[in-house]
Amino acid sequence: MLNNVVAVVLEEIHPFELGVACEVFGLDRSGDGLPVYEFALAGERTGPHRTHAGFSIDVPHGPERLAGADLVVVTATGLRDSYPPALVEALRAAVEGGARVLSICSGAFLLGEAGLLDGRRSTTHWRHAAELARRYPRTVVEPDVLYVDEDPVITSAGTAAGIDACLHLVRRLQGAEVARGIARRMVVAPHREGGQAQFVARPLPEEDGASLGGLLDRMRHQLDREWTVEQLAARAHMSPRTFARRFQQETGTTPHRWLTGQRVLLAQRLLEGTDEPVDSIAARCGFGNGATLRHHFGRRLGTTPLAYRRTFAGGWQGEPDLRV
């Protein structure tokens, strides 16, 4: 269930991180056949709240608005010595009532105050990771990943990683095509793995032609073939060791993990948009057979291909886009 979404803010609000929640969940995209969410903004009190950019935002709801939410998105603020008790309690009660919570950047500290990180893995912006671990020693902080999904608690790193976490949750609850539809409107990548590094050494292609962008596109369009590091390195005119290092630098992950993620994404779209048998989909995605597809599907999504199809087939009324 993902309908009632509440974004939580604290002074001084970081506008970009709040904008992530507004952009993903606060816009009416029904014209594209996408879901419309009941979206609200809440804080420790109603009225104007300062941002760190020098302007104020009017917050119409207090902590009571968290009651009945399906999802609470805790946005970023500067680190504080203390957090409003009423908001901490409302957040804790929302989770006890069945809500999911998703923090962006330093929003993880409010989750820590509510005890929601205890016994769970978590992340935040790499600059704050050590402080999060110091303040809340009962969580295992992973400082170099984009987001961590410890359902019902999702934590994400700084700025754009919040987009990745939000789209990940939409994908898990409403299917790959809904997430792709929202990403398409936002003009962002529809999927980045949570385990990908927070920053990469070469985020922009260089003009020397050494970028792997063209090879990545070829791999996306030929997921049904077997790719080895040796083959990929030869195409890139590099040694296997140099290629593996360059791949990690540009994508934040390994060739194997990247390929597996792309194959699972294609399988999701085929399960949603076609009635092909699972074995046929497995072959098209490069998994070879249904058993291998089920293995990777279970590890990454916690469900089976058939259960996923029953949940999401035909769930989005837009035209399925099955391009890789």
Side-chain angles (χ1 to χ4, degrees), residues 176-177 180 184 220-221 223 265-276 284 316 319-324:
E177 282 304 314
R180 280 174 63 84
R184 190 179 302 117
R220 287 191 188 95
H221 285 84
L223 291 174
L265 281 174
L266 178 57
Q268 288 179 266
R269 298 198 293 274
L270 292 171
L271 288 164
E272 292 179 32
T274 76
D275 58 359
E276 288 188 48
R284 285 186 61 179
W316 180 43
E319 180 181 357
D321 182 356
L322 299 180
R323 293 172 296 176
V324 179

Side-chain angles (χ1 to χ4, degrees), residues 242-260:
T242 299
F243 174 80
R245 183 173 65 251
R246 180 66 61 81
F247 199 97
Q248 178 77 37
Q249 289 173 339
E250 290 205 18
T251 69
T253 189
T254 66
H256 176 74
R257 285 183 59 86
W258 187 90
L259 266 174
T260 300

